Amino acid sequence: MRSLLVTGGAGFIGANFVRLWARERPADRITVLDALTYAGNRANLANVKAELVVGDIRDEALVDQLLASREVDTIVHFAAESHVDRSISGPDAFVETNVVGTHALLKAARRAWLGDGARRPHRFHHISTDEVYGTLGPEDPPFTETTPYAPNSPYSASKAASDHLVRAYHHTFGLETTTSNCSNNYGPFQFPEKLIPLFLLNALEGRPLPIYGDGMQVRDWLHVEDHCRGIMAVIDRGRPGETYNIGGGAELPNLVVIDTLCRAIDDAFAADPSLTRRFPDAPAARGLPTASLKTFVADRPGHDRRYAIDCSKARDELGYAPRHDFASGFAQTVAWYLANEPWWRAIRDGSYRAAA
């Protein structure tokens, strides 16, 4: 039986992880530590067997208390500022949360598990991103775990710094750490500032779909449940001190994803007349193509052109393989947002913050 402390567990990927772990390992104890900033949402953990503690990962006294009182043996560290656009307009928060916050957790973990000359069984798993590796050219091979770091945004630079701290605490102090670097996630509960939920909800409300540059930036798309299963595999079977890349095997230009989304919405309205009543502002409600909302805007500064993940190490060592291809995972995602309007309406109108 494990006792987990999941930081950022009320956010998108963290909540999906908590839900999956609680469903498949109900005997384990899960404590979620989340500051409930704008992207954290109590509703993401509704009806899940997990304790939510509202607090900041930089609060070392709180973390010390949780590690001791819950007899935590596994930290799963999701908590992070993660939106590149926000890191450009306000990088300070990214350094505070992603660098200072990660260091505070590492110090607390070292005290709890390696203090007083003792060595208690433990694992500190750190979730990172493929963005730390920088950008790829059209013909470059995918990122591997040995690709040199070359972050190009304040967000990716802050994640790179946190990765290095985790590595250092393993090599210097013997803390049993693992790190996973993932590609672009999509799926249920994603905060609608990221491409797929933002464009989906904009389309339902008849708002523009703003496409950076020419829209041909390439990303590897990873269904969030596949990512969470990959994290579980790293925690269970990953070697301490190692890094594992987790990808979805779906390398697509943003414009292809957007066009797929537009067609999916048009098809959904054609198949379900009730959507016209629910979303009268959508072009599809008036028989117009959703693609008519596409609007090309100036590219953002430092926008990486291509990411691609080689996850053969995770496959060979851990048995990881994504269960969702993009077509099926994307269809499930669209269906989830259409079926969970109250969840995203509360975010759009800000009422979800009342419960923070």
Side-chain angles (χ1 to χ4, degrees):
M1 175 178 170
R2 289 183 185 267
S3 177
L4 282 71
L5 177 66
V6 182
T7 71
F12 164 46
I13 306 175
N16 276 281
F17 175 84
V18 170
R19 285 175 169 273
L20 178 64
W21 193 289
R23 183 170 70 246
E24 298 201 347
R25 304 181 183 187
D28 289 354
R29 179 175 188 173
I30 304 174
T31 304
V32 171
L33 176 61
D34 199 296
L36 293 184
T37 56
Y38 77 95
N41 191 342
R42 290 180 185 272
N44 294 354
L45 296 174
N47 304 313
V48 178
K49 184 186 172 185
E51 176 191 8
L52 173 61
V53 176
V54 179
D56 195 311
I57 58 173
R58 295 171 297 173
D59 185 344
E60 294 184 40
L62 173 60
V63 176
D64 286 341
Q65 186 267 326
L66 292 175
L67 294 180
S69 64
R70 276 67 170 180
E71 299 181 326
V72 170
D73 53 45
T74 305
I75 293 175
V76 192
H77 179 32
F78 292 94
E81 295 283 349
S82 65
H83 191 43
V84 175
D85 286 358
R86 288 177 183 266
S87 81
I88 294 170
S89 60
D92 288 3
F94 288 73
V95 174
E96 282 295 320
T97 299
N98 299 353
V99 183
V100 177
T102 298
H103 190 218
L105 282 175
L106 288 165
K107 290 189 288 181
R110 182 187 174 201
R111 287 191 294 269
W113 296 331
L114 303 178
D116 302 322
R119 186 176 185 88
R120 301 166 183 83
H122 65 272
R123 174 61 59 93
F124 186 111
H125 182 71
H126 173 62
I127 290 84
S128 189
T129 171
D130 58 0
E131 297 191 37
V132 298
Y133 299 123
T135 188
L136 294 169
E139 305 303 323
D140 290 339
F143 299 131
T144 71
E145 291 80 1
T146 60
T147 299
Y149 276 28
N152 290 319
S153 70
Y155 161 60
S156 55
S158 67
K159 289 299 291 184
S162 66
D163 294 1
H164 292 319
L165 284 169
V166 172
R167 174 185 171 86
Y169 265 68
H170 170 73
H171 286 277
T172 301
F173 303 116
L175 197 67
E176 295 197 358
T177 66
T178 43
T179 296
S180 55
N181 295 75
C182 69
S183 55
N184 275 38
N185 280 226
Y186 69 97
F189 299 105
Q190 188 168 29
F191 192 83
E193 65 182 358
K194 300 298 177 74
L195 189 149
I196 289 176
L198 174 65
F199 279 36
L200 173 57
L201 303 189
N202 278 11
L204 295 177
E205 296 174 341
R207 301 173 185 268
L209 308 181
I211 302 167
Y212 282 130
D214 61 3
M216 295 306 291
Q217 301 86 3
V218 174
R219 302 293 183 261
D220 174 31
W221 292 92
L222 170 65
H223 191 277
V224 66
E225 184 177 291
D226 288 329
H227 182 196
C228 293
R229 290 191 181 281
I231 293 168
M232 292 176 74
V234 176
I235 293 170
D236 288 344
R237 299 184 292 280
R239 291 178 288 138
E242 291 294 315
T243 295
Y244 297 88
N245 284 348
I246 300 175
E251 192 178 337
L252 297 169
N254 286 344
L255 196 56
V256 170
V257 174
I258 294 163
D259 286 339
T260 301
L261 184 150
C262 291
R263 288 192 299 270
I265 293 174
D266 292 345
D267 292 345
F269 273 74
D272 183 358
S274 72
L275 295 177
T276 295
R277 297 190 297 273
R278 289 171 58 193
F279 307 109
D281 295 325
R286 304 188 302 276
L288 300 174
T290 300
S292 63
L293 295 173
K294 293 195 301 185
T295 304
F296 289 87
V297 299
D299 210 350
R300 73 183 178 205
H303 200 176
D304 291 336
R305 192 65 174 172
R306 173 176 169 247
Y307 305 143
I309 283 278
D310 179 346
C311 56
S312 57
K313 179 178 177 181
R315 179 195 64 214
D316 296 343
E317 291 192 18
L318 311 176
Y320 166 76
R323 299 184 181 185
H324 298 79
D325 58 32
F326 184 75
S328 64
F330 185 81
Q332 291 174 17
T333 299
V334 171
W336 187 90
Y337 280 91
L338 291 175
N340 289 272
E341 184 179 351
W343 179 85
W344 57 261
R345 284 288 184 203
I347 294 175
R348 293 293 251 201
D349 66 24
S351 60
Y352 81 109
R353 298 296 299 138

